[in-house]
Amino acid sequence: MKLGIIGLTQSGKSTAIFALTGQTPGAAGLVGKHQAVVPVPDERLDALFQIYPRDRRVPATVEFIDYGEIPRDSSAYWANVRLADALVHVVAGFDPVSREERDSSALRAAYNELNAELAVSDLDIIERRRDKLSKQIKRPTKTQDQDLEELALLERMLEAENAGGSFADVEMSDSEAKLLRSFQLLTRKPELVLLNLSENAWSNRGEIKAAFPENVQFIEMCAIIEVELGQLEESERGEFAELYEIAEPVGPRAITAAYGVSGSIRFYTVGKDEVRAWTIPAGLSAKEAAAKVHTDMAKGFIRAKTIAFDDLSAHGSEKAAKEKGLVRLEGKDYRVADGDVLEFHFSK
Ligand SMILES: Nc1nc2c(ncn2[C@@H]2O[C@H](COP(=O)(O)OP(=O)(O)O)[C@@H](O)[C@H]2O)c(=O)[nH]1
Ligand SMILES: [Mg+2]
């Protein structure tokens, strides 16, 4: 899963990526672009590794990307951000210049300021495509029916935007949503807000959180404190975390929240050498999940031996779970559930 970190200048994006990943800034410090791949903390995988001792334990990974500052000519910048599966939008709880704490209306304004830029970038993409399709439909082509459907959708979106609405709120059918998928619209991407509070405001975080819009998924942190926490020796972390009342570091918290906002789940496989976690969008079929592991497994898919992690864990072994009838054989259309342990049977 690719998580794109966006935010206004000086909101704390670069500090955040070090807080999120526990990595240490290099010689360039906070300046410029950064990216880091981190393993997903996974207690289920740890438990599976106990049940099935193998050579390796391979966790799922998350890639965090800090794209640096938005350049004046921003089209290439946003094109890059479009490749992310979800956005992590850093909003500073303080004014970056005066360092004063932001009240609820200033917080909202800062949040909306960047969202307006996302909308401008999406508008550009939608208008270009609308103009192209308007010409294309004048001549009969093989794709004319689909082009007409797409054009109608784009017109509807432009109207909604014109009337002061957001692209994100335009309702659409599944087939329309599918048409739109390749646009990778920024305003329709899953978004997690990282509210970056100053050290002074940290103890007051409950109140500040309450001031933030309700429909927005967010978690709060103090990036500077979290960076410090990440750089301490293991043995010193407990006391420091207690002092600042940090129940769980921001990295794992953000990863869990990102799975939530993006509707992603994990399934597990146990091979000869490794026990492994895989990230997929919720709703995939067993055959689609198999394709994630290997295309041959999807092509020759026969069935998936399936055990829910909770059942396996409750009974301690596959054998015990089987005796209780908890090991299932599922077909290609089975909807994979979070925590499923799958063994794909396929013909070569
Ligand atoms: N005091 C304080 N300063 C912060 C915090 N987070 C970021 N900053 C400072 O704000 C400035 C901008 O941070 P940076 O991560 O470079 O922001 P970016 O422009 O969004 O990448 C830097 O001087 C940071 O040290 C924080 O939690 N507390
Ligand atoms: Mg930066």
Side-chain angles (χ1 to χ4, degrees), residues 16-36:
I17 197 171
F18 295 111
L20 289 164
T21 62
Q23 296 197 349
T24 323
L30 295 175
V31 178
K33 303 175 188 178
H34 309 90
Q35 63 197 84

Side-chain angles (χ1 to χ4, degrees), residues 14 30 32 66 69:
S14 304
L30 295 175
D66 166 16
E69 293 317 315

Side-chain angles (χ1 to χ4, degrees), residues 248-279:
E248 191 186 13
V250 71
R253 277 201 300 145
I255 290 173
T256 304
Y259 270 86
V261 295
S262 67
S264 300
I265 60 171
R266 287 194 296 285
F267 73 89
Y268 302 89
T269 55
V270 180
K272 197 158 49 62
D273 307 319
E274 62 186 31
V275 183
R276 184 162 181 157
W278 306 83
T279 302

